[in-house]
Amino acid sequence: MGYSFSRMLAAIVLAIMASLSWADEVLQDTTASPQTIEAMADADVEEDIAGAPPSIQDILNQLASRSFDDKEAAIRQLAEQDSPRVVPLLNALMNRDLVHNREDDTISLGSKQDGQWLLLDPVSETEIGTVDSRAARPVVINNRLRTVINNQLALFALNSDDSEQRVQAAAQLIGNDDPDMLSALRLRRESEDNSRVIEQIDTALNIAALGSDELTARLNAIDTLSSNLHPEVKNRLNERLRLTESDAEKTALTKALRRIDSRIENFQTADTIFFGLSLGSVLLLAAIGLAITFGVMGVINMAHGELIMLGAYTTYVVQQLLPNSHEWSLLVAVPAAFLVSAFVGILIERFVIRFLYGRPLETLLATFGVSLILQQAVRVIFSPLNRTVITPDWMSGALQINPVFSLTYNRLYIIFFALAVFLGLLTLLKKTRLGLQVRAVSQNRTTARALGIRSERVNALTFGLGSGIAGIAGVALAQLTNVGPNLGQSYIIDSFMVVVFGGVGNLWGTLTAAFGLGIANKLLEPMAGAVLAKILVLIFIILFIQRKPRGLFPQRGRAAED
């Protein structure tokens, strides 16, 4: 029993000693040095940071690497961030507005000012400070990275609420074989309801399908693309035709390319006709005033081109007087040009032409002298240099019908403007007292005077009306070409050709001749060239006048018989 008691006592003593030893260890742990505690805390923070996703600034700092692969990875990682700053930062990278600050090895927004870099925080856009121009430089990217950035921007735009942005984004991805881009297009296709966006997406997906391993998929894509006029479609079909070894695919590709070429040729013809109508509208505006003066008064006015020039310069002066109102300055320029040219025309008639009626050769020489005087006057006032008239925004750009055919707005507006002027003049001559007197004088001057019509007054007003319309033609020409002292010389011969071919004094003949010669000229240009085309048109008119001296629509009345 004594032995058992001794063993129990020893066990209790050992237990007490073990407890004291454990307490001492705990005390030592709790009384660790501040350095140890700080190290442990830092280790915990680093562990938390390692588990957190990188910030936008951390991703941007990776662009400081010299490796383009690292930069591409950073760009793709940035594009995955759910932040409104992603698109502006990608655009900033494209525009070289992201700079690498070498002092602290970070990426910031930067702009050069007074030889220094002004740095902004890329996320908050708050000012960081300035550094020397050598302490920072724009982030360098190559063409591969630009393609990656454009693709990422297109993906963002593809999900925009603006349908026009979605159309442009889908069009930008046409020809892109990146699997991620194609997946995004397929996903967008399922929810898209805009027909233009769907058309662009289908084009992109079918072009990608040309590279499929399955012949059926390629044949379906070829059949779908056979009516598509996008330039990339034709390029890919030609490329596939060189690579394929399948007879069925070669046949389908050949048929598709022929159909596309046929459609392109048709639209090119339509484009040529449109430019012919545009040229015809300019000729109509230039010749319609001459048709009145030449038809009613029998005056060969060689200063008609300079009256067109005065209208163009009036447009330029109006824009200079209204520097902040280019959008509606044309509304002021049209009546102003009409009044200026009409006033000059009346002065020419009163002080020159009325003394030379019945003497066509002297009239021609006198008006030619007037044209030289007007040219020199413009050179003295405005200098010999050409002047530019700013086209309003609503006349800029083009109406895109398809990838190979578009209608430029300035020419489209001029066509409608020329027709409006023609209808307005026709109404004036048919429905007003002045128009009745003009027609009476043009048909039989002697009888009109016997009936009490003051032919001298009619002559002055008629010449002023024709001159004013020439000024309106100058407004239209100012939207198509530069304004210079020799502007009118380019159209005076064509104007006489139109008047003679259509029939002297006949407005409908002038309309028909203007558009007919304009279209014929443009159809001949691709085959014969611009100069030879004009020569051929002139030869045709000479032969035609020998056959029908009075033109397409001869003037009626006793004056015509004379």
Side-chain angles (χ1 to χ4, degrees):
M1 181 176 179
Y3 175 74
S4 299
F5 178 75
S6 298
R7 291 185 60 185
M8 187 187 315
L9 183 61
I12 293 173
V13 171
L14 290 173
I16 293 173
M17 291 177 64
S19 299
L20 291 174
S21 176
W22 174 82
D24 184 62
E25 290 179 0
V26 171
L27 183 61
Q28 289 180 1
D29 289 341
T30 56
T31 58
S33 65
Q35 293 80 3
T36 303
I37 295 175
E38 184 178 353
M40 294 172 61
D42 290 342
D44 292 339
V45 171
E46 290 176 359
E47 183 177 354
D48 292 339
I49 292 177
S55 65
I56 290 181
Q57 183 64 65
D58 294 333
I59 296 172
L60 291 177
N61 289 341
Q62 298 175 31
L63 296 173
S65 172
R66 292 181 178 272
S67 170
F68 288 117
D69 292 336
D70 293 343
K71 291 179 180 180
E72 180 178 350
I75 292 170
R76 294 186 181 278
Q77 191 175 9
L78 176 64
E80 295 173 357
Q81 303 302 305
D82 185 15
S83 171
R85 291 294 301 160
V86 172
V87 172
L89 289 174
L90 289 175
N91 284 318
L93 181 58
M94 280 289 290
N95 299 328
R96 296 174 60 84
D97 291 333
L98 282 183
V99 298
H100 175 209
N101 184 1
R102 299 177 182 178
E103 293 182 352
D104 57 5
D105 201 31
T106 58
I107 301 296
S108 308
L109 289 170
S111 60
K112 267 195 173 181
Q113 296 182 358
D114 300 327
Q116 291 184 320
W117 283 102
L118 175 63
L119 302 181
L120 304 176
D121 184 274
V123 179
S124 63
E125 294 190 272
T126 57
E127 185 175 335
I128 298 174
T130 58
V131 296
D132 186 73
S133 60
R134 298 179 181 179
R137 67 171 184 174
V139 176
V140 178
I141 58 175
N142 58 11
N143 289 335
R144 175 167 63 90
L145 294 183
R146 291 187 184 92
T147 302
V148 173
I149 295 172
N150 284 328
N151 289 343
Q152 297 300 330
L153 290 172
L155 286 182
F156 280 103
L158 198 60
N159 297 312
S160 171
D161 295 332
D162 186 355
S163 61
E164 192 61 35
Q165 288 190 15
R166 298 201 303 274
V167 170
Q168 295 177 3
Q172 185 176 332
L173 293 175
I174 289 178
N176 194 314
D177 296 327
D178 189 312
D180 294 337
M181 302 296 113
L182 296 177
S183 297
L185 286 172
R186 293 189 186 97
L187 185 63
R188 184 66 209 179
R189 177 67 172 80
E190 296 175 359
S191 59
E192 184 57 59
D193 56 359
N194 186 286
S195 60
R196 294 174 60 208
V197 181
I198 292 174
E199 180 182 356
Q200 298 294 336
I201 293 177
D202 287 345
T203 299
L205 294 177
N206 281 302
I207 288 178
L210 292 176
S212 173
D213 294 333
E214 298 181 5
L215 177 60
T216 304
R218 296 199 302 272
L219 291 176
N220 290 335
I222 293 169
D223 182 63
T224 304
L225 295 173
S226 63
S227 59
N228 197 303
L229 298 177
H230 195 283
E232 185 66 21
V233 170
K234 187 176 179 180
N235 293 338
R236 289 298 186 95
L237 291 178
N238 279 317
E239 180 182 349
R240 189 63 203 169
L241 184 60
R242 291 192 300 268
L243 297 176
T244 186
E245 297 180 355
S246 169
D247 292 335
E249 189 174 4
K250 286 182 179 180
T251 302
L253 287 166
T254 303
K255 290 182 179 179
L257 288 169
R258 286 177 180 173
R259 184 177 179 184
I260 291 174
D261 288 337
S262 176
R263 294 195 67 199
I264 291 176
E265 185 177 351
N266 291 336
F267 280 111
Q268 286 177 343
T269 302
D271 189 61
T272 301
I273 293 175
F274 172 70
F275 273 86
L277 291 173
S278 174
L279 175 60
S281 65
V282 172
L283 293 177
L284 175 64
L285 287 172
I288 193 171
L290 190 64
I292 297 173
T293 57
F294 192 28
V296 174
M297 305 169 63
V299 173
I300 303 175
N301 181 18
M302 294 301 294
H304 188 77
E306 278 59 46
L307 295 171
I308 296 174
M309 174 199 67
L310 289 180
Y313 270 103
T314 303
T315 307
Y316 169 74
V317 171
V318 169
Q319 283 203 348
Q320 297 305 305
L321 295 176
L322 301 172
N324 299 321
S325 306
H326 297 313
E327 295 304 311
W328 53 273
S329 62
L330 281 183
L331 301 179
V332 179
V334 170
F338 178 85
L339 292 175
V340 169
S341 295
F343 177 73
V344 173
I346 291 174
L347 291 180
I348 294 173
E349 196 280 333
R350 287 288 85 189
F351 291 100
V352 178
I353 294 177
R354 77 186 183 100
F355 301 107
L356 301 173
Y357 285 126
R359 298 153 65 184
L361 182 60
E362 287 86 345
T363 304
L364 186 150
L365 292 175
T367 54
F368 179 71
V370 171
S371 71
L372 296 179
I373 293 173
L374 292 176
Q375 286 185 35
Q376 292 304 318
V378 165
R379 288 189 174 94
V380 171
I381 297 173
F382 296 101
S383 85
L385 300 177
N386 288 341
R387 303 294 178 176
T388 301
V389 173
I390 300 175
T391 302
D393 290 340
W394 51 273
M395 289 186 68
S396 303
L399 176 63
Q400 195 73 35
I401 306 299
N402 55 51
V404 298
F405 182 50
S406 61
L407 305 176
T408 53
Y409 286 128
N410 58 348
R411 296 182 181 276
L412 199 60
Y413 279 119
I414 288 174
I415 292 173
F416 289 124
F417 179 67
L419 293 176
V421 171
F422 173 81
L423 293 176
L425 181 61
L426 195 65
T427 303
L428 185 146
L429 293 178
K430 296 290 186 182
K431 303 294 184 180
T432 66
R433 182 178 179 83
L434 174 62
L436 179 62
Q437 293 177 350
V438 168
R439 287 186 287 124
V441 172
S442 66
Q443 292 180 12
N444 193 313
R445 182 180 298 273
T446 304
T447 303
R449 295 181 66 179
L451 293 174
I453 296 176
R454 297 168 56 189
S455 60
E456 292 80 6
R457 176 178 175 272
V458 172
N459 287 339
L461 293 178
T462 302
F463 201 90
L465 177 62
S467 302
I469 294 175
I472 293 178
V475 178
L477 286 175
Q479 307 304 312
L480 299 176
T481 184
N482 290 328
V483 178
N486 298 320
L487 173 65
Q489 293 296 312
S490 304
Y491 295 94
I492 182 64
I493 303 300
D494 291 335
S495 298
F496 276 107
M497 287 170 53
V498 169
V499 171
V500 173
F501 179 55
V504 176
N506 191 302
L507 294 184
W508 287 106
T510 303
L511 175 71
T512 305
F515 284 113
L517 294 179
I519 294 174
N521 207 334
K522 289 299 179 181
L523 288 175
L524 289 173
E525 279 185 7
M527 298 178 289
V531 177
L532 185 57
K534 283 185 175 294
I535 295 174
L536 292 175
V537 169
L538 180 59
I539 293 174
F540 166 75
I541 292 178
I542 293 173
L543 296 176
F544 180 84
I545 294 302
Q546 288 181 344
R547 182 71 176 176
K548 297 188 67 175
R550 295 181 183 177
L552 287 172
F553 300 93
Q555 188 182 29
R556 293 175 296 178
R558 294 185 180 179
E561 298 174 1
D562 297 338

